[in-house]
Amino acid sequence: MTTSLVTGGAGFLGSHLCERLLAESHRVICVDNLLTGNRQNIEHLFGREDFVFVEHDVTKPYEIDEALDNVLHFASPASPIDYLELPIQTLKVGSLGTHNMLGLAKVKGARYLQASTSEVYGDPLVHPQPESYWGNVNPVGPRGVYDEAKRFAEAMVMAYHRVHGIETRIVRIFNTYGPRMRPRDGRVVPAFIDQALHGRPLTVFGDGSQTRSFCYVDDLVEGIWRLLNSDVREPVNIGNPQEMTILEFAETVTRLINPDSKVTFKPLPVDDPKTRQPDISSARKYLGWEPTVPLEDGLVSTIKYFRELLGLAEKPPGETE
Ligand code: NAD
Ligand code: UDP
């Protein structure tokens, strides 16, 4: 049986990844210190013989007495609010955590997959962003703790590949959304859904002209699965190229939840990227992958999850929560 270790497996993406690996008949070891994730995301997997949860901080060395085929390093605070509140933990999990997990993969002769991010491109000056773009990151700005940790992680992964010959993969994940995001994690998808469901104004930062491109979690996980099983060692962007302004996104959420929702404008966070859109030519070419879930379908599933989580029953159109 193939055994895969997933760090950050109790988080939003990690929990979906654990499920997918189990569905592919892998034995899954989920390692998480519950810093920004939670047990509820994986509770339904407890009791399975092919699933093990280990509460552990991966910035500390980790040893395990069994063979591993894959190590997938997803542990890291990921929402801007989280990594601004946890700057040192963010830097440590991207550096020390990556080093520890690469060391583990080396000892076990396992394949290693690194969760990287579109933030390695910073506030991009090239649009859309291909993997060949080196980025525009402010190393000493507040977002630098996340961006530079991920850039360091990528460099470390390539060094382990070149020096130790371990099999490595790097996925650059663009804004992904779906069930199991925390309603108050500060990212725009959960923030707007939570606000619209409660009849509060949607907080648009800046004038809302900045753009993002949103990918549904199932599409992302499919891309990661294909990358893991490919022989592509260079970083690969996985994201949905359908780009929109944040104001357009607010209108979409409003239309789906509560057409009477208002918008309120708040200051734009420091170094907030003005545009972001993945160039997915590599994923198309090497993985035969492209997203398939339309934004509105993905949002409907996410909104359903939030309603259940928050105990809010569906109301007939026109009525607010
Ligand atoms: P998340 O906060 O839901 O999950 C992160 C998980 O890592 C949490 O369960 C947390 O408890 C765990 N963790 C953090 N530090 C740890 C440590 N030192 N030891 C063990 N566990 C630790 O966030 P997410 O959105 O699921 O992000 C998962 C990964 O994907 C991150 O590496 C993130 O950088 C990357 N990513 C996500 C997105 C996105 O849109 N969701 C975009 C780009 C990159
Ligand atoms: N944003 C917003 N209102 C919010 C949260 C975020 O307007 O309540 C904006 C944010 O300034 C950014 C975009 O939405 O331009 C996406 O933010 P998010 O935190 O989801 O992710 P980012 O892409 O910045 O990492």
Side-chain angles (χ1 to χ4, degrees):
M1 186 186 250
T2 305
T3 302
S4 295
L5 182 142
V6 180
T7 75
F12 159 49
L13 296 183
S15 61
H16 287 275
L17 192 58
C18 287
E19 281 177 348
R20 175 62 186 264
L21 294 167
L22 289 167
E24 301 287 349
S25 302
H26 288 209
R27 172 174 157 73
V28 173
I29 302 169
C30 165
V31 182
D32 199 301
N33 67 349
L34 305 177
L35 184 65
T36 57
N38 64 71
R39 246 170 237 278
Q40 287 76 29
N41 289 340
I42 46 168
E43 232 164 23
H44 58 293
L45 305 174
F46 290 173
R48 286 180 66 137
E49 276 184 8
D50 51 2
F51 181 78
V52 181
F53 172 61
V54 182
E55 192 170 337
H56 177 77
D57 176 349
V58 296
T59 66
K60 311 260 183 339
Y62 179 71
E63 284 178 19
I64 183 167
D65 203 13
E66 68 176 290
L68 293 178
D69 299 287
N70 301 302
V71 174
L72 301 100
H73 183 33
F74 277 68
S76 173
S79 91
I81 285 194
D82 287 342
Y83 59 73
L84 297 181
E85 267 175 16
L86 302 163
I88 296 171
Q89 287 94 329
T90 303
L91 282 159
K92 284 173 74 175
V93 78
S95 54
L96 305 178
T98 299
H99 187 214
N100 287 334
M101 291 304 109
L102 281 163
L104 184 65
K106 180 176 151 234
V107 162
K108 301 290 181 185
R111 185 170 284 202
Y112 179 94
L113 186 143
Q114 174 68 39
S116 187
T117 168
S118 53
E119 282 278 328
V120 299
Y121 303 121
D123 189 1
L125 305 174
V126 170
H127 195 77
Q129 294 82 55
E131 290 87 351
S132 55
Y133 178 47
W134 292 354
N136 176 39
V137 171
N138 174 4
V140 294
R143 295 177 87 101
V145 298
Y146 181 69
D147 304 8
E148 296 295 5
K150 292 290 187 179
R151 289 168 68 97
F152 175 90
E154 287 197 9
M156 186 68 118
V157 169
M158 292 312 290
Y160 261 67
H161 169 65
R162 292 184 184 118
V163 175
H164 298 302
I166 75 168
E167 279 291 335
T168 54
R169 309 284 179 267
I170 297 173
V171 55
R172 290 188 180 152
I173 302 169
F174 283 64
N175 297 67
T176 301
Y177 69 96
R180 306 209 187 113
M181 293 187 99
R182 288 169 7 243
R184 305 278 165 91
D185 85 356
R187 289 185 269 196
V188 71
V189 176
F192 284 2
I193 293 177
D194 184 55
Q195 290 158 350
L197 285 175
H198 288 98
R200 292 197 305 269
L202 275 56
T203 52
V204 171
F205 298 164
D207 62 5
S209 65
Q210 71 273 31
T211 67
R212 293 294 186 273
S213 313
F214 300 103
C215 183
Y216 188 62
V217 61
D218 290 356
D219 278 333
L220 176 87
V221 169
E222 176 64 28
I224 292 171
W225 172 248
R226 290 188 190 204
L227 177 63
L228 179 68
N229 292 301
S230 76
D231 55 6
V232 184
R233 297 196 189 89
E234 299 302 315
V236 178
N237 291 337
I238 299 285
N240 190 323
Q242 192 200 336
E243 184 185 16
M244 59 174 53
T245 66
I246 293 304
L247 212 45
E248 284 166 346
F249 181 63
E251 284 158 12
T252 307
V253 171
T254 295
R255 185 156 35 77
L256 291 176
I257 299 180
N258 177 4
D260 298 328
S261 289
K262 304 272 179 297
V263 157
T264 175
F265 292 92
K266 302 268 181 191
L268 191 66
V270 177
D271 295 336
D272 196 285
K274 286 180 272 306
T275 58
R276 182 180 292 154
Q277 183 190 31
D279 177 331
I280 60 165
S281 313
S282 290
R284 283 200 173 102
K285 183 170 169 191
Y286 298 115
L287 310 179
W289 177 89
E290 61 182 9
T292 60
V293 182
L295 180 66
E296 294 209 358
D297 292 1
L299 284 176
V300 166
S301 305
T302 311
I303 292 165
K304 181 169 179 291
Y305 167 81
F306 274 74
R307 279 190 199 280
E308 285 165 11
L309 184 77
L310 300 167
L312 298 169
E314 183 139 20
K315 293 276 166 67
E319 270 186 49
T320 55
E321 302 298 338

